[in-house]
Amino acid sequence: MDQKESVRDITPWDGTLSSSDFFSAACAFSEKWKRFNASVPPWLWVPSRKHHLLSSHKEEGYLSLEGMCLIKSSEEQESCRSQTWKEESSISQEEEAVENATLVQSSCDEVNHYDFHIVYSPSYRVPVLYFRSYHSDGQPLPFGEIEKDLPDHSAKIRSESKWTFITQEEHPYLNRPWYKLHPCGTSEWMKLLFLGDTALNKNGFVIEHYLVSWFSVIGQVVGLKIPLGMLETVSC
Amino acid sequence: MSGAATVSSSEAHKLVWEGSVPLLIHLHDSEVTTLPPPPPALVLAPRLGYLPLLISQLKPYFSTTLPPGVDTLWFEYRGLPLKWYIPTGVLFDLLCVEPERPWNLTVHFRGYPSNLLLPCEGEDSVKWSFINSLKEAAYVTKGNCKNVMNMSQSDQVELWRSVLNGNLESYQRVSSKLKLGTFEDEYTENISAVSTASQQNSGEADAAAQVKSGRIPVRLYVWTVTEDFDDLESAPQIDNWDKISYINRPVEIQKEDGKYFSLNDAIKSLLPEYFPGSSFDNLGDASTKQSVGDEGENTCDPDSSSLPLENAEIKLVRIQGIEPCLEIPFSWVVNNLMNPEYFLHICVCLKVSEANALQ
């Protein structure tokens, strides 16, 4: 275990983390993601714009995963539709390989592009997932279409949990409308998540693992899977 | 209002709730289909309100000249589309550095710029945004939004109506049930009567120091200049939202013996990159400020050698249309100048060197 990580007692913890903890957790998360998810683009740390000239307080920023393409297979039955994520750059290469049967024959129109950002909320003291979707020509997708892209269990999670719902709000840094998973319930279910792990209860937990655990739940809502190997690194 | 030596809390609230901005609203040329074009509408907009709520007053002026189509209301000031979820008074304080009375705005009923602005479907959208902010404020102050979630339907309706109609009495009746006032217990009439003059005797300073630790919901709107400006007219025009740094971060009150927490302290605590010497640092646990990871390929860039910044200078602070003395106890500002959703909105102009300016 990395000696720089600090172990904390679970009992008084309220499920939140500080801004500097978020930065540490973001570094740990993106590093593990690269290690376990090499075929997928990495999460990049984007320092917030006003700091781009300065190297102090670079800790303020967000994680970004952009250019993910959702390929819809041409299954006749909606229920058999599989959700495949591909990196934007790999698609243009594959289009040249005509034999590739997993790609729908028609052009890029069928491909929806997604950008994901993980941004810290100082009010709620938790990470928040922001995302936006657009066609290849840059036209944003209406929410109805985004909903069709989301995995089947996403609607279930969102309707069952009063804590998880999608809203449209302005991106905290980019002055544009983005979608986000509302953070008001995050601290509660994060605490439950950690409390449910007996190993953590006994040995305390490491705050750098926060994002991995958080993403294992949030990712499901938008269909981004976390590799099992990555999850195993956070349970002792 | 600046220089008011003794303003009681109730007087201050009344003045804030009665505050309004006269608007002269012109229909955009592209939507005028009749000759002569309709004259602009003169409307008195409440500071604490929101622009889309003016539609019922505006529609009668322009309905006969609009081209066919569905109304999608939006406003702009000198080409800058206005964010409808920011209270009207804040927009005015921020964008109209030299206050223009009446404030000349352009209204559109067509062609909503949905790539730039959040969609707005009338009063419901504004109400949702308001309640959402109220929940956020509750979370900041109390650590949960149960009090807002558990409001009775009739209370919620009354709360929103009181904001719509600018009815302070009705608002106070419902909002007091939420118990969101951070300094309610600590501050009584004697504190709010503290003189805002720069000379304060030690007795008043002591009383002001009796503040419990806590978090205050604040929304800071910061724009920068690289040169001094002698008068507001020569201040640069904000023509792009990227020139404004929007900081939605709570102020953390630290209890310090013998010292009170001033408005100046509060603002500087939210801008540690510009005021590194400030004793109140809001960026989180000092214990975890260590460089993380040192592999060469780390996407988090391990370079932790930080260059100290030269101190910036606060040139202008505007809250509810006034420029308060920066040495006022922050608690007074919070108690008296807050918006109905329990957020304190502060517009700040900073003077910085060229390198540190917001592009």
Side-chain angles (χ1 to χ4, degrees):
Chain A
M1 199 166 84
D2 190 337
Q3 279 167 350
K4 290 193 194 109
E5 296 171 337
S6 49
V7 180
R8 306 204 186 162
D9 194 10
I10 190 83
T11 335
W13 188 55
D14 62 0
T16 67
L17 78 176
S18 72
S19 168
S20 42
D21 283 344
F22 172 73
F23 176 68
S24 313
C27 291
F29 176 76
S30 68
E31 188 261 326
K32 285 187 201 236
W33 177 275
K34 242 191 332 185
R35 230 196 301 157
F36 289 94
N37 233 349
S39 56
V40 169
W43 286 88
L44 299 174
W45 179 260
V46 180
S48 68
R49 189 184 52 87
K50 61 183 183 285
H51 302 294
H52 77 282
L53 294 165
L54 328 157
S55 40
S56 65
H57 287 298
K58 62 173 162 47
E59 287 182 5
E60 220 188 297
Y62 54 92
L63 279 173
S64 163
L65 179 68
E66 294 189 2
M68 295 294 282
C69 292
L70 187 58
I71 317 285
K72 293 195 266 218
S73 65
S74 54
E75 296 292 335
E76 280 179 14
Q77 290 178 5
E78 281 280 317
S79 55
C80 298
R81 179 162 59 82
S82 61
Q83 202 192 32
T84 315
W85 289 103
K86 288 215 181 291
E87 191 177 358
E88 231 162 38
S89 51
S90 68
I91 289 181
S92 43
Q93 286 163 24
E94 286 177 15
E95 278 188 338
E96 287 156 17
V98 177
E99 297 87 37
N100 195 327
T102 56
L103 277 182
V104 179
Q105 208 170 350
S106 63
S107 65
C108 279
D109 296 0
E110 296 272 349
V111 173
N112 293 337
H113 300 253
Y114 279 81
D115 293 338
F116 297 97
H117 289 178
I118 302 178
V119 188
Y120 179 74
S121 162
S123 297
Y124 291 96
R125 291 171 50 90
V126 295
V128 185
L129 183 73
Y130 284 81
F131 63 96
R132 67 173 174 183
S133 179
Y134 43 96
H135 295 296
S136 301
D137 61 3
Q139 276 303 304
L141 257 67
F143 188 66
E145 280 198 48
I146 293 181
E147 268 213 303
K148 287 192 213 150
D149 282 347
L150 298 176
D152 299 328
H153 55 262
S154 169
K156 192 160 171 289
I157 296 174
R158 282 181 286 126
S159 62
E160 279 173 4
S161 162
K162 64 172 160 72
W163 292 326
T164 319
F165 54 98
I166 296 176
T167 67
Q168 198 175 15
E169 274 181 42
E170 199 164 277
H171 192 290
Y173 295 110
L174 300 179
N175 286 320
R176 291 287 184 279
W178 279 59
Y179 289 96
K180 83 179 201 191
L181 284 173
H182 203 278
C184 59
T186 300
S187 64
E188 286 194 50
W189 58 255
M190 275 304 290
K191 183 160 189 184
L192 287 177
L193 194 69
F194 273 61
L195 278 175
D197 188 320
T198 46
L200 290 179
N201 278 322
K202 222 174 30 153
N203 308 324
F205 70 103
V206 173
I207 197 71
E208 282 80 2
H209 295 164
Y210 189 103
L211 271 182
V212 178
S213 305
W214 173 85
F215 196 80
S216 68
V217 175
I218 286 289
Q220 289 183 54
V221 184
V222 293
L224 282 175
K225 292 196 184 64
I226 200 165
L228 198 57
M230 197 165 152
L231 267 180
E232 281 166 1
T233 63
V234 305
S235 43
C236 309
Chain B
M1 183 157 164
S2 62
T6 48
V7 181
S8 72
S9 242
S10 52
E11 278 170 22
H13 288 146
K14 202 158 164 290
L15 284 165
V16 166
W17 274 68
E18 286 171 2
S20 50
V21 183
L23 306 176
L24 192 58
I25 300 180
H26 312 252
L27 181 63
H28 192 260
D29 284 343
S30 65
E31 299 178 21
V32 178
T33 63
T34 57
L35 275 176
L42 185 62
V43 170
L44 199 60
R47 280 191 151 268
L48 302 181
Y50 302 86
L51 291 175
L53 301 177
L54 300 174
I55 189 171
S56 52
Q57 287 176 268
L58 292 176
K59 194 68 199 287
Y61 277 88
F62 303 122
S63 53
T64 50
T65 188
L66 288 173
V70 177
D71 291 342
T72 50
L73 191 73
W74 60 284
F75 296 82
E76 57 162 297
Y77 175 55
R78 294 193 183 171
L80 182 71
L82 300 183
K83 300 187 184 187
W84 54 264
Y85 52 87
I86 297 182
T88 306
V90 179
L91 286 171
F92 183 60
D93 290 343
L94 184 61
L95 301 175
C96 217
V97 184
E98 165 72 16
E100 207 181 277
R101 288 189 179 90
W103 191 23
N104 283 278
L105 295 182
T106 304
V107 70
H108 296 253
F109 285 81
R110 304 281 182 267
Y112 198 86
S114 43
N115 55 331
L116 298 173
L117 290 182
L118 279 179
C120 179
E121 268 118 51
E123 190 189 311
D124 279 344
S125 299
V126 184
K127 180 181 174 191
W128 192 93
S129 174
F130 175 84
I131 299 285
N132 196 33
S133 296
L134 183 64
K135 284 187 193 160
E136 188 181 336
Y139 196 96
V140 167
T141 318
K142 290 180 144 24
N144 65 72
C145 357
K146 290 190 191 130
N147 53 354
V148 181
M149 308 271 275
N150 294 338
M151 271 175 87
S152 71
Q153 184 66 5
S154 59
D155 275 351
Q156 251 207 43
V157 168
E158 198 183 336
L159 183 74
W160 176 242
R161 280 244 175 83
S162 68
V163 174
L164 264 185
N165 302 328
N167 188 332
L168 176 59
E169 224 178 82
S170 169
Y171 171 78
Q172 282 175 331
R173 195 167 47 237
V174 185
S175 64
S176 55
K177 297 185 197 175
L178 294 173
K179 298 207 190 310
L180 281 177
T182 318
F183 301 107
E184 243 158 28
D185 304 330
E186 312 290 329
Y187 283 85
T188 58
E189 287 291 306
N190 21 315
I191 298 304
S192 43
V194 161
S195 168
T196 58
S198 50
Q199 284 186 340
Q200 298 204 1
N201 61 45
S202 56
E204 288 167 349
D206 282 347
Q210 303 307 315
V211 58
K212 51 182 183 216
S213 316
R215 306 202 307 153
I216 312 291
V218 172
R219 288 182 173 162
L220 203 66
Y221 307 82
V222 184
W223 47 288
T224 57
V225 293
T226 50
E227 288 169 358
D228 276 318
F229 47 91
D230 293 323
D231 52 64
L232 298 175
E233 262 168 15
S234 44
Q237 179 71 33
I238 295 170
D239 54 9
N240 189 326
W241 286 105
D242 291 338
K243 292 192 174 159
I244 295 176
S245 190
Y246 169 61
I247 299 174
N248 182 22
R249 188 188 304 157
V251 166
E252 311 233 359
I253 303 279
Q254 322 285 342
K255 186 172 175 178
E256 272 205 28
D257 293 322
K259 267 210 294 182
Y260 69 92
F261 193 69
S262 70
L263 175 60
N264 201 23
D265 293 331
I267 294 174
K268 288 185 175 178
S269 74
L270 290 180
L271 299 167
E273 64 274 35
Y274 290 113
F275 302 100
S278 164
S279 50
F280 304 101
D281 190 330
N282 252 294
L283 268 195
D285 305 339
S287 55
T288 54
K289 274 202 171 88
Q290 51 196 347
S291 59
V292 178
D294 46 22
E295 296 97 43
E297 284 271 296
N298 196 322
T299 51
C300 279
D301 187 357
D303 175 15
S304 58
S305 59
S306 9
L307 293 168
L309 290 161
E310 64 184 76
N311 274 0
E313 204 190 308
I314 297 178
K315 295 300 295 183
L316 186 67
V317 173
R318 261 195 203 141
I319 308 176
Q320 300 292 3
I322 66 175
E323 287 153 43
C325 163
L326 293 183
E327 294 315 310
I328 298 186
F330 183 59
S331 52
W332 188 92
V333 178
V334 171
N335 270 347
N336 294 289
L337 302 183
M338 203 180 311
N339 272 49
E341 78 286 9
Y342 284 89
F343 266 91
L344 183 67
H345 299 255
I346 308 178
C347 300
V348 178
C349 173
L350 288 184
K351 182 172 151 236
V352 298
S353 69
E354 288 270 351
N356 297 336
L358 291 164
Q359 306 303 314

